[in-house]
Amino acid sequence: MSTTADGALRIKPTQLNTGVAVEIVDLNKWYGDFHVLRDINLKVLGGERIVICGPSGSGKSTVIRCINRLEEHQQGRIVVDGVELTNDLKKIDEVRREVGMVFQHFNLFPHLTVLENCSLAPIWVRKMPKREAEEIAQHYLKRVKIPEQAAKYPGQLSGGQQQRVAIARALCMNPKIMLFDEPTSALDPEMVKEVLDTMVGLAEDGMTMLVVTHEMGFARQVANRIVFMDTGQIIEANVPEEFFNHPQHERTKLFLSQILR
Amino acid sequence: MTMSEGDLAVAQIRFVSAATIEGRPAPASMTGAIGWLRANLLSTPFNIVLTILIVLLLAWVIPGLVKFLLIDAVWSGSDRDACREFVQKREIGACWPFVWERWSYFVYGSYPIPDRWRVDAFFAMLAVGVVWMLWLDAPRRSLGAAYFFLVLPISSFILLTGWQAIGLEPVDTVLWGGILVTIVVASVGIICSLPFGILLALGRRSRMPAVRLFSVIFIEFVRGVPLVTVLFMASVMLPLFVPEHLSPDKLVRALIGIALFASAYMAEVVRAGLQAIPKGQFEGAMAVGLSYSQMTRLIILPQALKVTIPNIVNTYIGLFKDTTLVFIVGIFDFLRTVEVARIDPKWAAPVTSTTGYAVAAVFYLIFCYAMSRYARAMEIRLGKGDRH
């Protein structure tokens, strides 16, 4: 891993794709009467790694869940890899094919083996022959360092292993963008590192990533930009050094003082 | 040397494990027959009382049953005199010659005697299909499914109702009876109720209001009406609205009634299973790009049906016994043939009815218990992904 002295990955600006991976313009969302997302604007370039942090209830998970339409938005535009999300089911399917997601509680399919979990979507969504899909699944299981667990069921694995399977499952669809919704929050402390290491590896390969997390060490090391949210809006966004060393907004300062001790 | 207070404190606070402790076998009181007895029958005072009560109950029931069914039973004879205490001058148990003589009536009803091989052929074909489907490691199961859901219904229909063109005399369903009718009604109910029930359950959870409304109305209406009423409506009311030559056969009408009734119940059973699937499973499936039908078929239903197997089988067992209600619209199911036979003057004796009912009880018990055991085995087999 090539890192600078302060631990950040050394990615030169030229290594970023110039294309816009995700563009969110004036996004607003309500749950009933409750205004959860307020005027969100965010542009993510290809190859960029964004960490979204903030207190619980700030809407950070909701933002990334809007990007693959697990949540509907009421106002504003979301364009993912050139496709605008509307009620058009075809567009939604198109976006979901290109966007992988990793959940806090893994959401693996308990009735399928690890290998079946990974090869299912390539077979049914990409219409790939079973043999080929299984080869791809094995490849990514090797990459997340658990090829020997392929025949087991998710319930037989530890939390960290399950989360790595979930990452492999998403990668099997060869996504352009990966969304991580608090991927380490449900893990035992001993398991956190193995999952974060896998994510660092992904970042090194140039994957476009949006990560909701409380792991500030990871944010410092991997993110190009950190977005801080509170009460449904973006309070502050900046490169990691500036964000951690010179926070501008009072709310950001308070948040950082509480989580960095 | 005596320990000073300081030494004692140190001894209590500091501990470093010196060796890995190997696992040792459990004490004898936990294993073997005595361990089993202790764990299962005598674990608590309440359990001990229950065990004693059950032993007493069995001691009270079983000797009487054995005496009636075997020891005092009559094994041969040609009419009622063989089974009458008054004639035989001894205590009389079950009247088996009555069952031997009437057995073919119990199985076929009034199906024409020269054509009864057709019923036997149907039973054999059904048995092959059932084994093929229920034996999960059987070879070529997809072929088995095609046989079971396509070949079997069509060929059974032709075989049982007849088809002049291939030399099978038509047999009116009025003549059908006994185990034949019970099996036909139960299989149609069992086979139709699951797919329709699944569709109705999905419909009830649909986001499309029209689909949801239809499902809710159908389920609530059918569930809100007794099966007897459904059967009456199917067989008595329908001809009032439909001209006689257009209205379907009486047995078919009852079959439709039973299938609809069972579907409504099955829908609620399946819906309970769907309700039990965590939201994360839907999200996980959507996030990898599966469509609604793929998600339902590959992710949601397999899990939902697995958790509902006990309830599905419960519904099936209820349905199997409910088939006896078709007698109310004049169809001769197994229980009805027993009813008819037991009042036959030729065999009129005090024990005839009891014998007939005992046969009926054993028949229903065998089928229901088999379903229950199969479901249990299936649960254990499917439970293998559940270990946490």
Side-chain angles (χ1 to χ4, degrees), chain A residues 27-98:
Chain A
L27 173 67
N28 277 284
K29 176 174 174 59
W30 288 262
Y31 285 131
D33 278 343
F34 180 56
H35 197 175
V36 266
L37 296 181
R38 308 176 186 178
D39 295 339
I40 303 288
N41 283 285
L42 185 66
K43 193 185 272 189
V44 183
L45 300 179
E48 234 191 331
R49 298 170 302 278
I50 309 277
V51 164
I52 303 174
C53 60
S56 61
S58 60
K60 52 195 191 307
S61 289
T62 313
V63 170
I64 67 165
R65 288 161 59 86
C66 282
I67 293 174
N68 66 351
R69 195 69 171 191
L70 289 183
E71 303 279 355
E72 239 174 83
H73 60 278
Q74 282 85 39
Q75 281 176 11
R77 277 159 43 85
I78 301 177
V79 182
V80 183
D81 194 38
V83 179
E84 178 167 2
L85 280 171
T86 57
N87 284 325
D88 186 348
L89 289 175
K90 264 199 194 124
K91 293 272 170 68
I92 295 173
D93 284 343
E94 209 175 308
V95 166
R96 283 179 182 161
R97 277 198 294 271
E98 304 306 329

Side-chain angles (χ1 to χ4, degrees), chain B residues 4-21:
Chain B
S4 73
E5 237 175 52
D7 284 342
L8 191 65
V10 166
Q12 283 171 338
I13 291 165
R14 291 200 184 146
F15 173 79
V16 178
S17 163
T20 313
I21 300 167

Side-chain angles (χ1 to χ4, degrees), chain B residues 10 34 56 101 104 116 132 137 151 160 162 171 204 238 247 250 268 270 292 298 334-336 366 388:
Chain B
V10 166
I34 294 173
L56 288 178
E101 195 193 282
S104 65
R116 284 184 179 177
W132 206 343
D137 299 321
V151 178
L160 292 175
V171 178
R204 194 164 183 171
L238 199 66
S247 84
K250 188 164 74 176
E268 286 301 280
V270 173
Y292 173 82
L298 301 168
F334 175 63
L335 188 62
R336 185 71 188 143
I366 287 172
H388 285 290

Side-chain angles (χ1 to χ4, degrees), chain A residues 33-234:
Chain A
D33 278 343
F34 180 56
H35 197 175
V36 266
L37 296 181
R38 308 176 186 178
D39 295 339
I40 303 288
N41 283 285
L42 185 66
K43 193 185 272 189
V44 183
L45 300 179
E48 234 191 331
R49 298 170 302 278
I50 309 277
V51 164
I52 303 174
C53 60
S56 61
S58 60
K60 52 195 191 307
S61 289
T62 313
V63 170
I64 67 165
R65 288 161 59 86
C66 282
I67 293 174
N68 66 351
R69 195 69 171 191
L70 289 183
E71 303 279 355
E72 239 174 83
H73 60 278
Q74 282 85 39
Q75 281 176 11
R77 277 159 43 85
I78 301 177
V79 182
V80 183
D81 194 38
V83 179
E84 178 167 2
L85 280 171
T86 57
N87 284 325
D88 186 348
L89 289 175
K90 264 199 194 124
K91 293 272 170 68
I92 295 173
D93 284 343
E94 209 175 308
V95 166
R96 283 179 182 161
R97 277 198 294 271
E98 304 306 329
V99 178
M101 187 159 195
V102 175
F103 299 87
Q104 181 177 0
H105 296 288
F106 329 134
N107 297 355
L108 293 174
F109 308 130
H111 61 302
L112 301 177
T113 64
V114 165
L115 190 70
E116 287 165 344
N117 263 279
C118 293
S119 60
L120 183 85
I123 291 172
W124 291 95
V125 182
R126 295 254 189 249
K127 311 289 178 207
M128 208 179 265
K130 190 168 176 233
R131 175 86 49 86
E132 195 183 334
E134 285 179 350
E135 272 167 24
I136 289 177
Q138 278 294 0
H139 168 78
Y140 283 110
L141 286 173
K142 212 171 285 169
R143 179 158 163 187
V144 299
K145 302 198 176 65
I146 36 174
E148 72 284 357
Q149 313 285 6
K152 289 195 183 167
Y153 286 90
Q156 297 167 289
L157 304 184
S158 74
Q161 288 172 326
Q162 290 192 46
Q163 193 60 298
R164 284 185 283 151
V165 172
I167 293 173
R169 178 177 75 177
L171 291 176
C172 282
M173 284 294 283
N174 196 17
K176 294 182 177 145
I177 300 161
M178 286 282 284
L179 308 174
F180 293 84
D181 188 2
E182 305 205 26
T184 56
S185 301
L187 297 178
D188 290 339
E190 282 180 285
M191 314 280 176
V192 171
K193 187 171 179 298
E194 63 188 55
V195 171
L196 290 181
D197 284 348
T198 310
M199 291 165 63
V200 170
L202 267 183
E204 284 169 343
D205 291 349
M207 175 64 77
T208 310
M209 295 163 68
L210 281 98
V211 185
V212 171
T213 186
H214 298 295
E215 295 292 333
M216 288 302 130
F218 172 81
R220 213 188 268 271
Q221 186 190 352
V222 169
N224 303 91
R225 249 194 304 163
I226 297 184
V227 174
F228 173 68
M229 290 184 66
D230 190 23
T231 60
Q233 49 188 315
I234 295 180

Side-chain angles (χ1 to χ4, degrees), chain B residues 332-351:
Chain B
F332 282 68
D333 76 309
F334 175 63
L335 188 62
R336 185 71 188 143
T337 57
V338 173
E339 277 283 303
V340 170
R342 80 182 175 84
I343 51 174
D344 179 356
K346 184 183 173 195
W347 288 98
V351 292

Side-chain angles (χ1 to χ4, degrees), chain B residues 7-335:
Chain B
D7 284 342
L8 191 65
V10 166
Q12 283 171 338
I13 291 165
R14 291 200 184 146
F15 173 79
V16 178
S17 163
T20 313
I21 300 167
E22 297 292 330
R24 290 185 292 266
S29 62
M30 274 178 68
T31 54
I34 294 173
W36 185 89
L37 278 178
R38 278 170 66 125
N40 291 291
L41 300 181
L42 310 168
S43 57
T44 61
F46 180 64
N47 242 347
I48 293 172
V49 171
L50 279 186
T51 304
I52 291 169
L53 283 178
I54 289 170
V55 168
L56 288 178
L57 186 73
L58 291 177
W60 179 54
V61 170
I62 289 180
L65 268 182
V66 171
K67 189 165 182 301
F68 179 82
L69 293 176
L70 302 174
I71 296 171
D72 288 344
V74 178
W75 297 94
S76 59
S78 56
D79 60 18
R80 62 196 289 245
D81 284 345
C83 299
R84 292 168 78 201
E85 261 170 62
F86 171 73
V87 177
Q88 299 294 319
K89 310 271 186 253
R90 70 172 179 99
E91 218 175 314
I92 297 288
C95 183
W96 295 123
F98 155 70
V99 178
W100 310 150
E101 195 193 282
R102 283 340 206 68
W103 182 248
S104 65
Y105 180 62
F106 293 164
V107 176
Y108 306 103
S110 309
Y111 209 89
I113 292 171
D115 287 315
R116 284 184 179 177
W117 63 269
R118 284 153 60 177
V119 179
D120 294 333
F122 160 70
F123 285 148
M125 280 163 50
L126 183 68
V128 168
V130 167
V131 169
W132 206 343
M133 284 285 88
L134 296 190
W135 180 23
L136 296 177
D137 299 321
R140 310 290 304 273
R141 290 192 74 229
S142 55
L143 194 68
Y147 168 76
F148 193 78
F149 292 105
L150 220 64
V151 178
L152 187 63
I154 294 171
S155 53
S156 307
F157 179 78
I158 293 172
L159 196 60
L160 292 175
T161 55
W163 190 12
Q164 209 88 55
I166 57 168
L168 291 173
E169 280 299 313
V171 178
D172 196 318
T173 55
V174 172
L175 300 174
W176 297 21
I179 292 176
L180 168 64
V181 160
T182 294
I183 297 280
V184 165
V185 174
S187 338
V188 168
I190 284 173
I191 292 171
C192 293
S193 64
L194 192 57
F196 286 123
I198 289 172
L199 288 179
L200 284 168
L202 292 172
R204 194 164 183 171
R205 289 166 54 95
S206 167
R207 293 172 67 172
M208 286 176 277
V211 174
R212 198 170 52 229
L213 191 67
F214 170 80
S215 307
V216 170
I217 290 176
F218 179 87
I219 293 168
E220 294 304 336
F221 179 75
V222 175
R223 278 203 315 163
V225 172
L227 176 56
V228 172
T229 316
V230 173
L231 290 172
F232 265 134
M233 280 172 62
S235 67
V236 182
M237 307 275 284
L238 199 66
L240 295 181
F241 306 117
V242 184
E244 188 55 40
H245 64 281
L246 279 182
S247 84
D249 178 88
K250 188 164 74 176
L251 182 63
V252 172
R253 277 180 265 159
L255 288 178
I256 293 172
I258 292 242
L260 294 182
F261 189 78
S263 303
Y265 273 87
M266 193 55 76
E268 286 301 280
V269 167
V270 173
R271 192 168 69 94
L274 293 174
Q275 225 87 301
I277 305 300
K279 200 163 149 254
Q281 290 295 308
F282 293 86
E283 292 181 348
M286 287 191 278
V288 291
L290 297 181
S291 67
Y292 173 82
S293 75
Q294 289 169 337
M295 172 175 81
T296 306
R297 206 154 31 93
L298 301 168
I299 307 299
I300 305 305
L301 278 180
Q303 297 184 60
L305 293 181
K306 189 177 98 179
V307 299
T308 38
I309 285 175
N311 293 331
I312 290 175
V313 174
N314 193 32
T315 309
Y316 280 168
I317 289 174
L319 174 66
F320 189 77
K321 294 181 293 181
D322 279 351
T323 59
T324 52
L325 286 174
V326 294
F327 87 88
I328 217 155
V329 290
I331 295 169
F332 282 68
D333 76 309
F334 175 63
L335 188 62

